[in-house]
Amino acid sequence: AQSVTQLGSHVSVSEGALVLLRCNYSSSVPPYLFWYVQYPNQGLQLLLKYTSAATLVKGINGFEAEFKKSETSFHLTKPSAHMSDAAEYFCAVRGNQGGKLIFGQGTELSVKP
Amino acid sequence: DSGVTQTPKHLITATGQRVTLRCSPRSGDLSVYWYQQSLDQGLQFLIQYYNGEERAKGNILERFSAQQFPDLHSELNLSSLELGDSALYFCASSLRGQPIETQYFGPGTRLLVL
């Protein structure tokens, strides 16, 4: 069985500060991992995905994530937060069988001026 | 814009009623997924179709059913609605339904059951 745990349902940072959103996964098979962002009243947009090609994955809007097998983690980072980054972020895992995404509970990111 | 369209955007109905949510996938995508997002359950996978055939099932209630038509659009039917069915329902699509593929999400249908 696969699962995802996002540590912290709410993270607040100042504009220009480092953004770190934590995600730990559990999977009995090599996982595919995804980060999605959801802006208010919108659908989910893919930020980046890990498909075993490289452990450091770069995504859109300056975000990146590092796959660490030993820590079963896939944390999302951005060096400098912008006000426009305020949104809810979801980490998701997908295994080799079936196409469904298993989502974490989400982390709401607030950015203070 | 992901290229996935969902209608209607909002739906308000009463308990016991039946509603149909519609999804059109991105051009060329053969696989469609339905997800439910609620405050207490979070984002939950409901069901997946590939080229008209059911491929995977998640925590979908027996009161819910779905299908994918020859033109690849999909419909999610919710019947005998209960207050707890109030949620945001997302449709997503991908090319062939393979695990490595990106799923592109529609804007969702917000269902309110009164």
Side-chain angles (χ1 to χ4, degrees):
Chain A
Q2 293 160 308
S3 65
V4 168
T5 301
Q6 291 184 239
L7 300 175
S9 59
H10 194 110
V11 170
S12 182
V13 300
S14 297
E15 195 172 17
L18 171 72
V19 175
L20 171 61
L21 305 182
R22 299 176 189 274
C23 172
N24 288 88
Y25 71 91
S26 171
S27 178
S28 56
V29 297
Y32 298 121
L33 293 160
F34 303 78
W35 275 100
Y36 279 86
V37 61
Q38 184 179 24
Y39 298 101
N41 300 314
Q42 292 187 30
L44 283 79
Q45 180 184 7
L46 180 72
L47 279 176
L48 48 82
K49 66 179 180 182
Y50 168 75
T51 58
S52 76
T55 56
L56 183 62
V57 182
K58 293 189 184 298
I60 62 171
N61 302 338
F63 284 94
E64 63 181 38
E66 187 172 7
F67 174 72
K68 291 187 177 180
K69 186 178 178 180
S70 60
E71 299 177 9
T72 62
S73 69
F74 190 57
H75 301 332
L76 182 71
T77 60
K78 181 174 180 178
S80 176
H82 295 162
M83 297 296 291
S84 60
D85 294 327
E88 186 142 24
Y89 292 79
F90 292 92
C91 182
V93 66
R94 210 160 158 198
N96 287 344
Q97 294 181 358
K100 68 177 182 181
L101 286 167
I102 298 166
F103 286 93
Q105 285 299 103
T107 298
E108 187 178 351
L109 175 67
S110 300
V111 182
K112 299 174 290 187
Chain B
D1 184 358
S2 66
V4 178
T5 60
Q6 289 186 248
T7 56
K9 195 170 179 125
H10 301 278
L11 203 47
I12 302 175
T13 188
T15 54
Q17 295 299 304
R18 182 179 189 274
V19 297
T20 297
L21 313 184
R22 182 187 169 105
C23 167
S24 292
R26 290 189 327 152
S27 177
D29 283 358
L30 299 176
S31 194
V32 167
Y33 312 78
W34 286 97
Y35 292 86
Q36 180 194 58
Q37 185 179 31
S38 62
L39 284 175
D40 53 344
Q41 297 290 327
L43 266 163
Q44 299 276 321
F45 167 74
L46 295 178
I47 198 164
Q48 177 195 3
Y49 280 83
Y50 173 73
N51 205 21
E53 299 291 325
E54 182 184 306
R55 177 169 274 189
K57 221 170 191 177
N59 299 324
I60 188 166
L61 300 171
E62 283 191 16
R63 300 183 285 110
F64 295 2
S65 65
Q67 59 185 127
Q68 186 180 26
F69 295 86
D71 68 352
L72 301 177
H73 90 272
S74 177
E75 292 180 357
L76 179 67
N77 300 295
L78 315 177
S79 61
S80 303
L81 285 167
E82 302 175 359
L83 296 177
D85 298 327
S86 296
L88 195 48
Y89 291 85
F90 286 112
C91 168
S93 74
S94 71
L95 187 58
R96 294 188 189 87
Q98 297 301 311
I100 199 171
E101 294 170 358
T102 297
Q103 290 183 20
Y104 295 89
F105 282 76
T109 293
R110 188 173 294 278
L111 173 66
L112 180 59
V113 183
L114 299 175

